[in-house]
Amino acid sequence: MTDPVLIWGAGAIGGTLGAALIRAGHEVVFVDNVPEHVTEINAAGLRIVGPIFEDTVRAKAFLPSDLTGQFETIFLCVKALHTDAAARALLPHVAPGGVVVSAQNGLNELVIADIIGRERTMGCFVNFGADYLEPGIVTFGGRGAVVIGELDGSTTDRVTALHKLLLDFEPNAVLTSNIWGYLWGKLVYGALLFATALTNDSIADALAAPAYRAVLTDLGREVGAIAKAEGVVTEAFNGFDPGAFVPGVSQAQIDQSFDDMVAHNRKSTKSHSGIWRDLAVRKRQTEAQDQLGPIVDAGRRNGVPTPLTARLIAMIREMETGQRTFSPDNMTVLASAATATVA
């Protein structure tokens, strides 16, 4: 792929990815909608802190309204709820033969493809730990899976080139013919992370807690059932086996999956999810509706009930609006959604 690489969204994911590419010798241009962040990057560089590497990299940064030109390689790294607006804003900057890579959480490729065109949209899965701390500073807390693939599963010259590019960020980056399997696998895991954000527990502590195990298992199984109904074969990553959350799996396999998730998260200095940070630190809307809403929609299409996912979305919304506070009791409230459905 031709430099410069455009990173649209210079926060946790985009900032970390862009900084690593710059360190590898690539030219990167950042776009972000936070004026203070853009100003700081231009004035002093983007500073990456944390255990993986610490560095300050220099690159041009722009507000969306100030960017000019077209780019062959664009990584879209905004929150899922901003995908539609960001895709429309970057559309004029996509070169005729260019591609937009969705380095996000959720099924954002579907939104991007509707706006940019399916032929110019690339699927991407990321699971590394990072957080935006303040203007000009991002923390890279832990390595995780990075996967790229064409939406139709084909192996093309461009996906091969993009995979080579991502190897400069994550040496174990994967080129897959089943990107939807990874994305849906992350939706199972993501639902569990949204549930942990109902408490003040760290990701690892919440996943390890015996009191939470039953409701988290039921939630994971609910999303796994939707993936199966969609005809998706989910893929494992970083110790998480979404195949453990389908009917007929033994409790031992489920417990092993939880143990592996706990072990992976214990290694990261990113103790809490970005969802929890949005609620507790940044006091802003989360991605709940945009990440979990498509699960409920898919359940409706396939005639598969999603009471836990729907209740989880509603509870996160209550957290956003101050109608609910962090508490272990929220797990009991979430579990009651399944009980009410059975009753």
PDB file of all heavy atoms in Angstrom, residues 268-284:
ATOM      1  N   SER A 268      -2.359  -7.446  31.049  1.00  0.00           N
ATOM      2  CA  SER A 268      -2.459  -6.098  30.493  1.00  0.00           C
ATOM      3  C   SER A 268      -2.538  -5.056  31.603  1.00  0.00           C
ATOM      4  O   SER A 268      -3.177  -5.277  32.634  1.00  0.00           O
ATOM      5  CB  SER A 268      -3.702  -5.986  29.600  1.00  0.00           C
ATOM      6  OG  SER A 268      -3.855  -4.667  29.109  1.00  0.00           O
ATOM      7  N   THR A 269      -1.890  -3.919  31.375  1.00  0.00           N
ATOM      8  CA  THR A 269      -2.022  -2.814  32.333  1.00  0.00           C
ATOM      9  C   THR A 269      -3.341  -2.073  32.133  1.00  0.00           C
ATOM     10  O   THR A 269      -3.673  -1.192  32.930  1.00  0.00           O
ATOM     11  CB  THR A 269      -0.858  -1.818  32.186  1.00  0.00           C
ATOM     12  OG1 THR A 269      -0.842  -1.300  30.854  1.00  0.00           O
ATOM     13  CG2 THR A 269       0.476  -2.494  32.494  1.00  0.00           C
ATOM     14  N   LYS A 270      -4.079  -2.407  31.086  1.00  0.00           N
ATOM     15  CA  LYS A 270      -5.419  -1.854  30.875  1.00  0.00           C
ATOM     16  C   LYS A 270      -6.379  -2.707  31.708  1.00  0.00           C
ATOM     17  O   LYS A 270      -6.833  -3.761  31.273  1.00  0.00           O
ATOM     18  CB  LYS A 270      -5.795  -1.892  29.393  1.00  0.00           C
ATOM     19  CG  LYS A 270      -7.197  -1.381  29.073  1.00  0.00           C
ATOM     20  CD  LYS A 270      -7.467  -1.539  27.572  1.00  0.00           C
ATOM     21  CE  LYS A 270      -8.923  -1.281  27.231  1.00  0.00           C
ATOM     22  NZ  LYS A 270      -9.279   0.142  27.329  1.00  0.00           N
ATOM     23  N   SER A 271      -6.688  -2.264  32.902  1.00  0.00           N
ATOM     24  CA  SER A 271      -7.451  -3.087  33.835  1.00  0.00           C
ATOM     25  C   SER A 271      -8.946  -3.100  33.545  1.00  0.00           C
ATOM     26  O   SER A 271      -9.616  -4.117  33.751  1.00  0.00           O
ATOM     27  CB  SER A 271      -7.218  -2.598  35.275  1.00  0.00           C
ATOM     28  OG  SER A 271      -7.673  -1.249  35.413  1.00  0.00           O
ATOM     29  N   HIS A 272      -9.475  -1.975  33.077  1.00  0.00           N
ATOM     30  CA  HIS A 272     -10.909  -1.844  32.830  1.00  0.00           C
ATOM     31  C   HIS A 272     -11.169  -1.605  31.343  1.00  0.00           C
ATOM     32  O   HIS A 272     -10.298  -1.124  30.612  1.00  0.00           O
ATOM     33  CB  HIS A 272     -11.492  -0.688  33.650  1.00  0.00           C
ATOM     34  CG  HIS A 272     -11.576  -0.962  35.113  1.00  0.00           C
ATOM     35  ND1 HIS A 272     -10.459  -1.061  35.918  1.00  0.00           N
ATOM     36  CD2 HIS A 272     -12.644  -1.156  35.939  1.00  0.00           C
ATOM     37  CE1 HIS A 272     -10.824  -1.308  37.161  1.00  0.00           C
ATOM     38  NE2 HIS A 272     -12.151  -1.367  37.203  1.00  0.00           N
ATOM     39  N   SER A 273     -12.363  -1.917  30.924  1.00  0.00           N
ATOM     40  CA  SER A 273     -12.719  -1.772  29.516  1.00  0.00           C
ATOM     41  C   SER A 273     -12.869  -0.303  29.128  1.00  0.00           C
ATOM     42  O   SER A 273     -13.080   0.567  29.982  1.00  0.00           O
ATOM     43  CB  SER A 273     -14.029  -2.505  29.223  1.00  0.00           C
ATOM     44  OG  SER A 273     -15.109  -1.837  29.868  1.00  0.00           O
ATOM     45  N   GLY A 274     -12.793  -0.052  27.838  1.00  0.00           N
ATOM     46  CA  GLY A 274     -13.081   1.287  27.335  1.00  0.00           C
ATOM     47  C   GLY A 274     -14.504   1.707  27.641  1.00  0.00           C
ATOM     48  O   GLY A 274     -14.792   2.904  27.793  1.00  0.00           O
ATOM     49  N   ILE A 275     -15.400   0.733  27.739  1.00  0.00           N
ATOM     50  CA  ILE A 275     -16.794   1.023  28.094  1.00  0.00           C
ATOM     51  C   ILE A 275     -16.855   1.613  29.501  1.00  0.00           C
ATOM     52  O   ILE A 275     -17.505   2.634  29.748  1.00  0.00           O
ATOM     53  CB  ILE A 275     -17.641  -0.266  28.034  1.00  0.00           C
ATOM     54  CG1 ILE A 275     -17.505  -0.957  26.674  1.00  0.00           C
ATOM     55  CG2 ILE A 275     -19.102   0.032  28.336  1.00  0.00           C
ATOM     56  CD1 ILE A 275     -17.386  -2.446  26.740  1.00  0.00           C
ATOM     57  N   TRP A 276     -16.167   0.968  30.430  1.00  0.00           N
ATOM     58  CA  TRP A 276     -16.129   1.469  31.809  1.00  0.00           C
ATOM     59  C   TRP A 276     -15.519   2.860  31.856  1.00  0.00           C
ATOM     60  O   TRP A 276     -16.022   3.737  32.562  1.00  0.00           O
ATOM     61  CB  TRP A 276     -15.328   0.499  32.680  1.00  0.00           C
ATOM     62  CG  TRP A 276     -15.249   0.904  34.126  1.00  0.00           C
ATOM     63  CD1 TRP A 276     -16.109   0.578  35.132  1.00  0.00           C
ATOM     64  CD2 TRP A 276     -14.252   1.754  34.721  1.00  0.00           C
ATOM     65  NE1 TRP A 276     -15.712   1.152  36.318  1.00  0.00           N
ATOM     66  CE2 TRP A 276     -14.577   1.878  36.094  1.00  0.00           C
ATOM     67  CE3 TRP A 276     -13.117   2.397  34.227  1.00  0.00           C
ATOM     68  CZ2 TRP A 276     -13.798   2.634  36.976  1.00  0.00           C
ATOM     69  CZ3 TRP A 276     -12.345   3.156  35.099  1.00  0.00           C
ATOM     70  CH2 TRP A 276     -12.689   3.265  36.452  1.00  0.00           C
ATOM     71  N   ARG A 277     -14.458   3.094  31.081  1.00  0.00           N
ATOM     72  CA  ARG A 277     -13.821   4.414  31.062  1.00  0.00           C
ATOM     73  C   ARG A 277     -14.776   5.473  30.517  1.00  0.00           C
ATOM     74  O   ARG A 277     -14.809   6.600  31.008  1.00  0.00           O
ATOM     75  CB  ARG A 277     -12.543   4.389  30.227  1.00  0.00           C
ATOM     76  CG  ARG A 277     -11.340   3.818  30.960  1.00  0.00           C
ATOM     77  CD  ARG A 277     -10.081   3.938  30.118  1.00  0.00           C
ATOM     78  NE  ARG A 277      -9.797   5.325  29.767  1.00  0.00           N
ATOM     79  CZ  ARG A 277      -9.164   6.187  30.553  1.00  0.00           C
ATOM     80  NH1 ARG A 277      -8.756   5.813  31.750  1.00  0.00           N
ATOM     81  NH2 ARG A 277      -8.928   7.428  30.155  1.00  0.00           N
ATOM     82  N   ASP A 278     -15.543   5.100  29.483  1.00  0.00           N
ATOM     83  CA  ASP A 278     -16.523   6.056  28.950  1.00  0.00           C
ATOM     84  C   ASP A 278     -17.518   6.463  30.030  1.00  0.00           C
ATOM     85  O   ASP A 278     -17.918   7.634  30.119  1.00  0.00           O
ATOM     86  CB  ASP A 278     -17.270   5.451  27.762  1.00  0.00           C
ATOM     87  CG  ASP A 278     -16.462   5.478  26.477  1.00  0.00           C
ATOM     88  OD1 ASP A 278     -15.492   6.255  26.396  1.00  0.00           O
ATOM     89  OD2 ASP A 278     -16.799   4.723  25.552  1.00  0.00           O
ATOM     90  N   LEU A 279     -17.924   5.514  30.862  1.00  0.00           N
ATOM     91  CA  LEU A 279     -18.917   5.782  31.897  1.00  0.00           C
ATOM     92  C   LEU A 279     -18.316   6.460  33.125  1.00  0.00           C
ATOM     93  O   LEU A 279     -18.861   7.440  33.633  1.00  0.00           O
ATOM     94  CB  LEU A 279     -19.592   4.469  32.323  1.00  0.00           C
ATOM     95  CG  LEU A 279     -20.451   3.764  31.275  1.00  0.00           C
ATOM     96  CD1 LEU A 279     -20.832   2.371  31.760  1.00  0.00           C
ATOM     97  CD2 LEU A 279     -21.701   4.574  30.959  1.00  0.00           C
ATOM     98  N   ALA A 280     -17.187   5.944  33.589  1.00  0.00           N
ATOM     99  CA  ALA A 280     -16.639   6.391  34.865  1.00  0.00           C
ATOM    100  C   ALA A 280     -15.703   7.582  34.751  1.00  0.00           C
ATOM    101  O   ALA A 280     -15.652   8.414  35.671  1.00  0.00           O
ATOM    102  CB  ALA A 280     -15.883   5.228  35.531  1.00  0.00           C
ATOM    103  N   VAL A 281     -14.969   7.675  33.653  1.00  0.00           N
ATOM    104  CA  VAL A 281     -13.932   8.698  33.533  1.00  0.00           C
ATOM    105  C   VAL A 281     -14.329   9.798  32.553  1.00  0.00           C
ATOM    106  O   VAL A 281     -14.301  10.981  32.885  1.00  0.00           O
ATOM    107  CB  VAL A 281     -12.589   8.062  33.109  1.00  0.00           C
ATOM    108  CG1 VAL A 281     -11.513   9.136  32.969  1.00  0.00           C
ATOM    109  CG2 VAL A 281     -12.157   6.990  34.100  1.00  0.00           C
ATOM    110  N   ARG A 282     -14.735   9.399  31.353  1.00  0.00           N
ATOM    111  CA  ARG A 282     -14.991  10.388  30.312  1.00  0.00           C
ATOM    112  C   ARG A 282     -16.431  10.887  30.312  1.00  0.00           C
ATOM    113  O   ARG A 282     -16.749  11.868  29.642  1.00  0.00           O
ATOM    114  CB  ARG A 282     -14.612   9.812  28.942  1.00  0.00           C
ATOM    115  CG  ARG A 282     -13.157   9.314  28.915  1.00  0.00           C
ATOM    116  CD  ARG A 282     -12.660   9.020  27.542  1.00  0.00           C
ATOM    117  NE  ARG A 282     -12.430  10.253  26.789  1.00  0.00           N
ATOM    118  CZ  ARG A 282     -12.025  10.270  25.530  1.00  0.00           C
ATOM    119  NH1 ARG A 282     -11.822   9.111  24.881  1.00  0.00           N
ATOM    120  NH2 ARG A 282     -11.831  11.417  24.895  1.00  0.00           N
ATOM    121  N   LYS A 283     -17.301  10.198  31.065  1.00  0.00           N
ATOM    122  CA  LYS A 283     -18.690  10.631  31.248  1.00  0.00           C
ATOM    123  C   LYS A 283     -19.372  10.899  29.909  1.00  0.00           C
ATOM    124  O   LYS A 283     -19.935  11.965  29.665  1.00  0.00           O
ATOM    125  CB  LYS A 283     -18.746  11.900  32.102  1.00  0.00           C
ATOM    126  CG  LYS A 283     -17.980  11.843  33.403  1.00  0.00           C
ATOM    127  CD  LYS A 283     -18.572  10.854  34.384  1.00  0.00           C
ATOM    128  CE  LYS A 283     -17.836  10.913  35.724  1.00  0.00           C
ATOM    129  NZ  LYS A 283     -18.373   9.930  36.698  1.00  0.00           N
ATOM    130  N   ARG A 284     -19.324   9.909  29.033  1.00  0.00           N
ATOM    131  CA  ARG A 284     -19.891  10.096  27.709  1.00  0.00           C
ATOM    132  C   ARG A 284     -20.638   8.843  27.263  1.00  0.00           C
ATOM    133  O   ARG A 284     -20.546   7.784  27.889  1.00  0.00           O
ATOM    134  CB  ARG A 284     -18.798  10.436  26.703  1.00  0.00           C
ATOM    135  CG  ARG A 284     -17.805   9.304  26.448  1.00  0.00           C
ATOM    136  CD  ARG A 284     -16.772   9.716  25.424  1.00  0.00           C
ATOM    137  NE  ARG A 284     -15.919   8.600  25.066  1.00  0.00           N
ATOM    138  CZ  ARG A 284     -14.937   8.663  24.162  1.00  0.00           C
ATOM    139  NH1 ARG A 284     -14.689   9.813  23.530  1.00  0.00           N
ATOM    140  NH2 ARG A 284     -14.209   7.604  23.874  1.00  0.00           N
TER     141      ARG A 284
END
